[in-house]
Amino acid sequence: MIDLDGAMVGIVQFERRDVDYEVRQAAGHVDLGYLLLPEAWGRRYATEACEAALSWFAGALPGEAVVLITQTANVPSMRLAGRLGFVEVERFEAYNAEQWVGTWTPAAATG
Ligand SMILES: CC(C)(COP(=O)(O)OP(=O)(O)OC[C@H]1O[C@@H](n2cnc3c(N)ncnc32)[C@H](O)[C@@H]1OP(=O)(O)O)[C@@H](O)C(=O)NCCC(=O)NCCS
């Protein structure tokens, strides 16, 4: 949960998914998800919250990759993925839209 002065303005979540698309099996089994209320957009809160969550994840499950899937049309989400250090694995079509698959590991994120 993302708390701003005592009010919830969004969530960041990890979800383990063991059976899904083949590409996801190759990229990793843990998905990152994020959602902020519109009034909290454009202030770097999502970046700050996701960086904190990924830092926690790297300590809790060392070496395990995190997968992010987002529509390429979702420009703020694509920009966030880039800021966080996710690297493209593949794109595919689903739900009548192009989906972007990225992966993140602590080593790749820190260069
Ligand atoms: C995806 C989502 C979390 C991105 O939120 P966001 O507010 O754009 O991301 P951040 O909190 O990291 O804010 C970054 C923006 O704040 C701006 N910003 C403002 N002050 C800043 C500062 N001091 N430092 C850095 N950036 C700053 C940046 O310029 C950046 O905008 P840009 O990408 O246009 O350059 C948000 O759009 C959302 O919740 N969408 C709905 C849910 C969704 O689509 N989830 C993904 C489904 S897969």
Side-chain angles (χ1 to χ4, degrees):
M1 190 185 89
I2 305 172
D3 180 305
L4 180 64
D5 300 329
M8 179 181 141
V9 296
I11 57 166
V12 176
Q13 69 176 26
F14 292 109
E15 186 174 356
R16 184 174 289 282
R17 302 188 189 197
D18 290 326
V19 179
D20 211 323
Y21 299 102
E22 188 177 331
V23 63
R24 293 159 54 100
Q25 300 281 349
H29 297 276
V30 178
D31 276 14
L32 174 69
Y34 39 72
L35 170 66
L36 273 74
L37 298 178
E39 54 264 38
W41 294 357
R43 294 198 257 173
R44 211 174 180 269
Y45 295 153
T47 301
E48 184 182 334
C50 289
E51 284 177 346
L54 289 167
S55 174
W56 170 84
F57 184 91
L61 295 166
E64 182 148 5
V66 178
V67 178
L68 171 61
I69 300 182
T70 189
Q71 294 187 8
T72 53
N74 189 341
V75 173
S77 183
M78 290 289 292
R79 290 172 69 91
L80 176 58
R83 274 195 296 276
L84 294 171
F86 279 83
V87 176
E88 180 173 337
V89 175
E90 193 165 335
R91 299 179 185 211
F92 65 94
E93 289 288 328
Y95 312 111
N96 292 319
E98 184 182 54
Q99 310 289 326
W100 185 90
V101 183
T103 188
W104 177 97
T105 58
T110 56

